[in-house]
Amino acid sequence: MLGNLAGNAIAMGQYIMQAAGQPDKPEAIRGIAVAALIGACLIHGLWRNGGIVLNNVLAIIKILTLMAVIIIGFAVAGGASFGNGPIGRNVVKENFNTRKTFSRPSDDAGSYARSIVLQQVGMVYLSKDQLCAVPKDRVLGDELDMANIFFRDVFGNETASRVMSGIIALSIFGNIIVMTFTASK
């Protein structure tokens, strides 16, 4: 059972090291991984309801984080500036000009249908601003994941990336908790 979770535990150790601002030391990462696996088993073995509560708390943190990323993405696309990093709103503004698209209102149903479709396409376009905020070469060449790059570029500092690494580590620990709970049944 724990062998299948070893990769998740190692990834969690790497993210904890990134969140702490420490270089990746294989011994420390393995130690964190082993402690996470043992801790998950002990939580479920000694206090079953505590494991369920912990899983629910970590799930809420994960959902709130995803909602924050979406809201921040829309805010950036709308023109808000959180730091001095590159902002994707200019790309969105160039490609989706609402004044040209909706210049003549009409009363026919086809016009309303087209407006709704274009608005939906615009919303999808705006949700892509995480990709617009980060240049393609940075995504392909950086060892960090997209969330860390996005937070570092949007907020303009390394602290945001480290906080995101900590949140990702919590998310991975939540996965370990739920997998040890379901695999034991």
Side-chain angles (χ1 to χ4, degrees):
M1 173 176 76
L2 294 179
N4 294 335
L5 296 174
N8 286 345
I10 293 291
M12 183 185 135
Q14 290 171 330
Y15 279 109
I16 287 175
M17 295 299 283
Q18 289 173 5
Q22 299 297 316
D24 283 348
K25 295 179 183 174
E27 301 84 18
I29 292 170
R30 284 192 296 259
I32 293 169
V34 169
L37 293 172
I38 291 172
C41 290
L42 286 175
I43 288 170
H44 291 306
L46 299 175
W47 188 31
R48 181 176 180 267
N49 288 338
I52 293 170
V53 168
L54 180 60
N55 178 46
N56 292 338
V57 168
L58 294 175
I60 290 170
I61 291 171
K62 186 185 288 191
I63 290 169
L64 291 175
T65 302
L66 290 173
M67 289 173 47
V69 168
I70 292 168
I71 290 168
I72 290 168
F74 281 123
V76 168
S81 179
F82 296 98
N84 56 3
I87 305 298
R89 69 178 182 274
N90 295 331
V91 175
V92 174
K93 284 181 181 177
E94 288 175 9
N95 292 306
F96 189 70
N97 188 339
T98 56
R99 290 186 184 198
K100 285 183 183 176
T101 306
F102 302 111
S103 61
R104 289 191 226 160
S106 176
D107 290 336
D108 68 306
S111 176
Y112 287 121
R114 283 191 299 276
S115 296
I116 291 171
V117 168
L118 286 173
Q119 287 173 357
Q120 294 303 315
V121 169
M123 294 303 281
V124 170
Y125 220 83
L126 287 175
S127 68
K128 299 287 185 186
D129 53 31
Q130 288 93 348
L131 296 172
C132 295
V134 181
K136 181 180 175 184
D137 58 335
R138 294 262 334 275
V139 174
L140 297 176
D142 205 322
E143 70 276 357
L144 295 176
D145 57 56
M146 186 67 179
N148 280 324
I149 297 169
F150 175 74
F151 268 69
R152 182 176 50 218
D153 286 357
V154 167
F155 290 104
N157 60 44
E158 193 63 32
T159 303
S161 176
R162 290 176 56 189
V163 168
M164 192 63 200
S165 290
I167 293 170
I168 293 171
L170 281 175
S171 175
I172 294 171
F173 186 63
N175 186 22
I176 291 170
I177 291 287
V178 75
M179 292 304 292
T180 53
F181 181 75
T182 56
S184 66
K185 288 193 162 216

